[in-house]
Amino acid sequence: MVKNRTYLRMMSRWYGQVPITITLATAIGTLVLVAVGVVFGVGVWLAQKNTFDLLRFNAEQSVVADVSQFTQHLRPAEHLTRFLAQQIGDAHIDTSNTSTLGSLLTGALAGAQQIEAILYIDVDQTAHIARRNRETGKVDLVEIDSSERSINRLNLDDFRQGPRWGAPVWREDFQKTYLNRFHPVTQDGNFIGAVGAVTSIEGLSNFIDQHGVRTEGNSFILYGRDQVLAHWSLIDGYPGRSTEHPLPMLDTFVDPVLASIWQTEGRREMPQAEPQEISSHFMELFNERFAFVYRSVEGFGPEPMIIGAYFQSNDSIKEIQRMSAALIAGIATLFISLLAAIFLGHRIAQPIVRFSAAAARIRDLDVSRIEQLPGSVFRELNDQSIAFNSMLRALRWFELYVPKKLVERLIRNAGDDGTSSGAREVTVMFTDIVGFSSMSEGMSAKDVADFVNHHFSLVADCIESEQGTIDKFIGDAVMAFWGAPETQEDSAEKACRAALAIAGSIHRDNLQRQANGEPPVAIRIGIHTGIATVGNIGAPGRLNYTLIGDSVNIGQRLEQLGKKLSPAGTEVSVLISSETQRRLGADFTAVSAGKQKLRGRSKTIEVYRLPFDAGDSSD
């Protein structure tokens, strides 16, 4: 028995603690969250990757196009200087003939509109220049000797090593910065001079400005990392340039976004892809996001050219905005899916919860208050409801035939083995209707059943209100007892209070019967307290929890003794034994009826009347 109690305590501790509604909602919600989350996460990751790949691809293609256009803009200078150097070096051109040399230079300049001037410098520092006049549209031929300062700044020794681009040069007289390409001229292995081509950076700025309009970006060319070679703001000139600083410095440049290209704060690198020579990164500037894409190009001067563009996110990176919208929509969809999962879990669990609540009431034998379970769209749950409702109908019939209070007490005391048979002190009561046979002679079967059922309901309510157990209905008689299956120290008082309550209920019912023109009902009650055998009595397949023994017989004989001791017209006769009388408190007044000999017994017992005051029973 101790082991059983310990097991039950462990079961109550570890089991039945988690609501199934929460479990199902959590389980389904978790599955939906994992499934949708994985699909959505993979989708967002792929969308993000594709978006950035597409963005990077478009930006890189723009840079590739810029580099291509940049090289196409400067390559003619290389081609022309190489061609002219070969022509002069192979003695196809007589450099002493100024007219012939001028015609050669003028013709070469006509085919390359981006070149401002072409010149030939001999070892004597005499320069023959074909210079484009942008105002007249003509080509001016100029011959400059070594006395010119501009020629003095050129060092022919720099050109002996091979063709090269020089550093940007500021021309104060033209208020422009130029890029120079020089190619050495040799005859028979001897250095005799150099051919040069001059390109204005304003032309580069005009080119990248037009290209930036087409790509919705801001193109730029840096000379090294700290000077701006080409930018839309350089088209019409830029203040502050000089011989020492032919190009604007990046850190003080008019474009604050471009000036911030190399700062580290707010910088985030883009994933690198092919071609790897192209670099890219994001910058958070002025509450906006900018994407920089650029490439370093060698071979056009002492410093590398950095050709690139930057894009403003709200203008150019619309794919990211669409991806953000898709992300928000996906999160909303996931949230709705979770709500649907929780709702579905609740709907699935609701019939189970109702079934659990109904089962708990069945456990408490509260069958009359249990409602039938509704059907369900789920087959198994619907089958469960059908089976439960069938069981409920059977239990309601079963409840009518089995003493409910007895079953409740047997369940509560099951751990103490309250159903085993044994001797116990109990108080037993018998009630019987006086003259029932004669009363029922003129009544129909239905009227008899209605009359008896009504009478039993009055008696049963009084007995059960005092925690008594109705053992059986015997015709028009009732047998009840106190003190089993649970011990009741005041079983005698409870039985007597129940008897007085029955008397009051019968009296009130008789008043109503008389008002209806019906004859009154009289009953006899017998109560005895003593030792009886209590427990499951019967065959293995048909048991009855009841009392047997001499104490039961005495209680029945006391009820029958009422025929002798109660005068005619007595509404309720209550006779109790001396064993019961001794156990009553001061609240009860029992009147001795003397020693009486009971039918079937050789010895007499002391009998008491329990008087009933009809005035106390009025409502």
Side-chain angles (χ1 to χ4, degrees):
M1 184 170 62
V2 175
K3 290 182 179 180
N4 289 338
R5 291 177 178 175
T6 303
Y7 175 74
L8 290 175
R9 284 197 297 269
M10 291 178 62
M11 290 286 288
S12 63
R13 179 184 304 172
W14 298 110
Y15 295 96
Q17 301 299 316
V18 181
I20 192 170
T21 301
I22 297 177
T23 302
L24 282 175
T26 302
I28 297 176
T30 301
L31 289 176
V32 171
L33 178 63
V34 171
V36 177
V38 168
V39 174
F40 176 66
V42 172
V44 169
W45 177 77
L46 290 175
Q48 182 182 30
K49 184 177 184 302
N50 293 337
T51 298
F52 282 108
D53 286 347
L54 178 61
L55 171 65
R56 184 178 56 245
F57 175 78
N58 291 337
E60 290 173 353
Q61 290 303 306
S62 175
V63 171
V64 169
D66 284 348
V67 171
S68 176
Q69 292 294 330
F70 170 76
T71 56
Q72 290 179 20
H73 187 80
L74 297 183
R75 290 302 182 197
E78 296 180 350
H79 298 327
L80 284 177
T81 54
R82 182 172 60 250
F83 171 75
L84 293 175
Q86 290 175 349
Q87 291 296 314
I88 297 173
D90 292 341
H92 295 163
I93 302 298
D94 183 6
T95 57
S96 62
N97 188 330
T98 303
S99 176
T100 302
L101 180 61
S103 297
L104 176 64
L105 297 179
T106 302
L109 185 61
Q113 293 297 317
Q114 63 268 47
I115 298 177
E116 293 286 326
I118 294 178
L119 59 99
Y120 171 71
I121 305 175
D122 59 22
V123 291
D124 296 329
Q125 294 272 327
T126 300
H128 301 270
I129 303 174
R131 184 168 55 201
R132 195 185 306 279
N133 190 325
R134 296 292 181 181
E135 295 180 359
T136 63
K138 297 180 179 181
V139 176
D140 298 330
L141 289 175
V142 180
E143 182 177 339
I144 302 175
D145 59 24
S146 59
S147 61
E148 291 286 339
R149 291 181 56 191
S150 59
I151 298 299
N152 290 333
R153 287 195 296 268
L154 297 177
N155 186 357
L156 285 178
D157 291 335
D158 294 337
F159 307 144
R160 295 177 182 271
Q161 305 303 321
R164 70 174 184 84
W165 284 89
V169 176
W170 170 254
R171 287 294 302 270
E172 191 71 31
D173 48 351
F174 294 107
Q175 290 291 300
K176 289 184 178 181
T177 300
Y178 296 95
L179 290 177
N180 302 312
R181 165 73 178 190
F182 284 90
H183 197 289
V185 179
T186 60
Q187 284 184 350
D188 300 327
N190 298 317
F191 177 74
I192 64 170
V195 178
V198 179
T199 302
S200 170
I201 66 170
E202 279 76 2
L204 284 174
S205 297
N206 186 65
F207 155 70
I208 64 171
D209 178 61
Q210 293 177 356
H211 188 257
V213 171
R214 294 195 302 271
T215 60
E216 297 185 358
N218 294 273
S219 298
F220 59 84
I221 302 176
L222 302 182
Y223 182 71
R225 290 176 60 91
D226 54 0
Q227 298 181 73
V228 181
L229 179 68
H231 187 267
W232 60 265
S233 63
L234 300 182
I235 295 174
D236 298 324
Y238 192 89
R241 288 179 289 177
S242 64
T243 303
E244 290 75 17
H245 298 288
L247 297 175
M249 300 305 293
L250 180 63
D251 55 356
T252 59
F253 194 58
V254 67
D255 185 348
V257 176
L258 180 58
S260 305
I261 185 174
W262 306 125
Q263 76 175 33
T264 57
E265 183 179 357
R267 178 187 178 108
R268 185 165 65 87
E269 299 295 330
M270 280 189 183
Q272 193 69 22
E274 297 293 340
Q276 293 188 358
E277 62 267 17
I278 295 180
S279 301
S280 56
H281 66 268
F282 285 115
M283 292 289 292
E284 299 290 341
L285 299 169
F286 318 113
N287 297 322
E288 290 285 349
R289 172 182 282 189
F290 295 88
F292 291 87
V293 184
Y294 45 90
R295 175 182 174 183
S296 178
V297 179
E298 304 281 349
F300 291 94
E303 297 289 338
M305 303 290 185
I306 298 178
I307 303 173
Y310 67 83
F311 303 84
Q312 192 172 358
S313 62
N314 59 355
D315 291 335
S316 304
I317 316 179
K318 295 183 176 61
E319 293 84 357
I320 296 179
Q321 294 177 341
R322 288 194 290 268
M323 186 184 66
S324 299
L327 179 63
I328 294 173
I331 293 175
T333 303
L334 180 59
F335 179 73
I336 293 173
S337 300
L338 286 176
L339 291 181
I342 293 173
F343 174 76
L344 180 61
H346 176 73
R347 288 298 301 271
I348 295 176
Q350 195 173 28
I352 302 176
V353 173
R354 285 197 293 262
F355 177 82
S356 177
R361 288 189 173 180
I362 289 178
R363 177 198 61 198
D364 299 332
L365 298 181
D366 195 7
V367 179
S368 60
R369 295 178 57 190
I370 301 175
E371 297 180 356
Q372 290 194 349
L373 297 180
S376 174
V377 296
F378 301 104
R379 182 176 62 186
E380 292 78 5
L381 295 178
N382 189 62
D383 292 344
Q384 171 187 277
S385 298
I386 294 174
F388 179 85
N389 293 335
S390 298
M391 179 190 70
L392 182 61
R393 288 191 293 270
L395 285 176
R396 284 173 177 168
W397 282 107
F398 185 72
E399 185 181 31
L400 299 176
Y401 293 94
V402 178
K404 177 180 176 181
K405 296 296 182 181
L406 172 62
V407 176
E408 289 178 350
R409 290 166 188 163
L410 290 175
I411 292 174
R412 287 198 301 268
N413 294 278
D416 296 327
D417 199 17
T419 61
S420 59
S421 300
R424 183 178 295 185
E425 181 179 282
V426 295
T427 299
V428 62
M429 171 192 285
F430 282 89
T431 73
D432 192 21
I433 299 176
V434 177
F436 174 73
S437 297
S438 60
M439 288 179 62
S440 61
E441 286 180 358
M443 300 170 63
S444 65
K446 180 180 183 304
D447 292 338
V448 171
D450 291 342
F451 170 74
V452 173
N453 289 338
H454 174 69
H455 173 73
F456 285 161
S457 68
L458 297 177
V459 175
D461 287 344
C462 297
I463 292 172
E464 291 180 348
S465 66
E466 290 295 332
Q467 300 177 344
T469 299
I470 296 177
D471 184 283
K472 60 179 67 70
F473 297 105
I474 312 169
D476 62 318
V478 178
M479 174 184 172
F481 58 87
W482 284 259
E486 55 190 9
T487 302
Q488 295 171 314
E489 299 295 336
D490 57 346
S491 63
E493 292 186 352
K494 289 181 181 294
C496 291
R497 276 197 297 270
L500 295 176
I502 292 171
S505 183
I506 293 297
H507 177 72
R508 290 189 295 273
D509 186 63
N510 282 336
L511 294 177
Q512 185 63 45
R513 289 177 63 83
Q514 290 173 0
N516 296 335
E518 298 174 337
V521 175
I523 68 168
R524 298 185 300 271
I525 300 176
I527 301 175
H528 174 65
T529 303
I531 302 299
T533 300
V534 184
N536 290 326
I537 306 298
R542 182 67 168 83
L543 296 176
N544 184 25
Y545 188 86
T546 187
L547 314 178
I548 58 175
D550 188 52
S551 295
V552 178
N553 295 331
I554 293 174
Q556 186 181 28
R557 299 296 187 267
L558 286 173
E559 176 267 311
Q560 294 174 354
L561 184 64
K563 297 178 182 180
K564 173 183 174 182
L565 298 182
S566 298
T570 300
E571 191 174 47
V572 179
S573 170
V574 182
L575 298 181
I576 65 175
S577 67
S578 59
E579 296 295 331
T580 301
Q581 186 272 338
R582 285 198 300 270
R583 290 168 173 78
L584 298 180
D587 295 338
F588 296 89
T589 301
V591 179
S592 176
K595 290 186 177 295
Q596 301 292 331
K597 187 176 186 306
L598 302 180
R599 185 171 60 87
R601 293 180 61 88
S602 58
K603 296 181 180 181
T604 61
I605 65 170
E606 187 77 23
V607 178
Y608 289 84
R609 289 190 181 93
L610 196 63
F612 165 70
D613 186 358
D616 295 338
S617 67
S618 60
D619 291 330

